[in-house]
Amino acid sequence: AVAAGGGACERDTVTVGFVGHPNVGKTSLLNALVGRKVASVSRTPGHTKHLQTWELTPRLTICDSPGLVFPVAGVRVHGVDASARAVYECCGLFPIAQVREALSAVRLLWHALDLPRMYNLRPAELDDDEDELSPFGFCAALAERKGYRLARGRGALDIHRAGLEVLKDCVDGAVCLAFAPPAPAAAAPDPRPTG
């Protein structure tokens, strides 16, 4: 290692950094390596706000970072366009308490998974006016099954609550959403002249 003045440090040191999505356990790993709680953790994404370092040994420093969210554009799930926000919500990158509209995320899961089978909803419960059941109809059937109603149980079905439950199940891993890796790009032609 080299000191700020350009001379050699007294000892060689290594800094290992943790980088990744929010809420994947970077800070928990730091605490586990240190052997005690040195940094606060939370189930809510975005809890770590700044870099946190800890000298594990005189030659090894651990650096924990806030989660990174990479932009998502043009996501297609089973041939259907999905919004970046819905992908982020399903992956747990937004706190569920901040989700104002869960149907887009449920629609993403709807096209990727067999939600009626996963939630054990029979066709008779899935009464929908359309030819094919919609995510809204699925959430309505789930709300009916669970007894989710507005106005302290006396009002209309609480579709939003049912959607949030599906989203929470996805974030917690009970409903497993996975994406296939992108297809390899075709090899670009060699720009050098032949001959």
Side-chain angles (χ1 to χ4, degrees):
V2 177
C9 290
E10 292 180 23
R11 64 183 191 263
D12 290 332
T13 60
V14 175
T15 300
V16 176
F18 302 144
V19 181
H21 285 292
N23 243 32
V24 294
K26 297 180 297 296
T27 304
S28 295
L29 179 59
L30 168 68
N31 288 335
L33 289 172
V34 172
R36 60 187 166 89
K37 184 176 180 178
V38 296
S40 175
V41 296
S42 171
R43 282 187 52 127
T44 304
H47 185 71
T48 302
K49 303 288 187 216
H50 53 79
L51 290 177
Q52 305 177 101
T53 59
W54 189 264
E55 189 175 281
L56 198 56
T57 69
R59 297 186 60 186
L60 177 62
T61 300
I62 303 296
C63 180
D64 179 29
S65 68
L68 301 174
V69 178
F70 298 99
V72 175
V75 175
R76 293 184 64 80
V77 177
H78 292 271
V80 176
D81 290 327
S83 72
R85 175 83 185 210
V87 173
Y88 293 151
E89 289 170 354
C90 289
C91 293
L93 303 181
F94 285 112
I96 290 180
Q98 292 180 6
V99 175
R100 298 290 172 244
E101 182 273 312
L103 286 178
S104 295
V106 172
R107 184 174 293 108
L108 169 69
L109 295 168
W110 177 260
H111 289 292
L113 307 166
D114 185 3
L115 289 179
R117 184 186 57 78
M118 295 175 90
Y119 284 86
N120 199 25
L121 291 172
R122 295 181 312 272
E125 296 173 287
L126 302 172
D127 185 30
D128 202 11
D129 295 336
E130 301 175 20
D131 292 338
E132 183 179 317
L133 183 67
S134 66
F136 181 87
F138 167 77
C139 287
L142 185 61
E144 180 73 39
R145 156 83 64 83
K146 299 274 188 169
Y148 296 159
R149 294 196 171 270
L150 300 172
R152 296 189 178 150
R154 296 184 308 271
L157 292 173
D158 192 347
I159 307 298
H160 180 69
R161 182 176 175 192
L164 287 179
E165 180 173 317
V166 174
L167 186 56
K168 182 181 180 306
D169 288 347
C170 182
V171 170
D172 290 346
V175 173
C176 187
L177 176 66
F179 298 97
D190 191 349
R192 296 176 291 178
T194 57

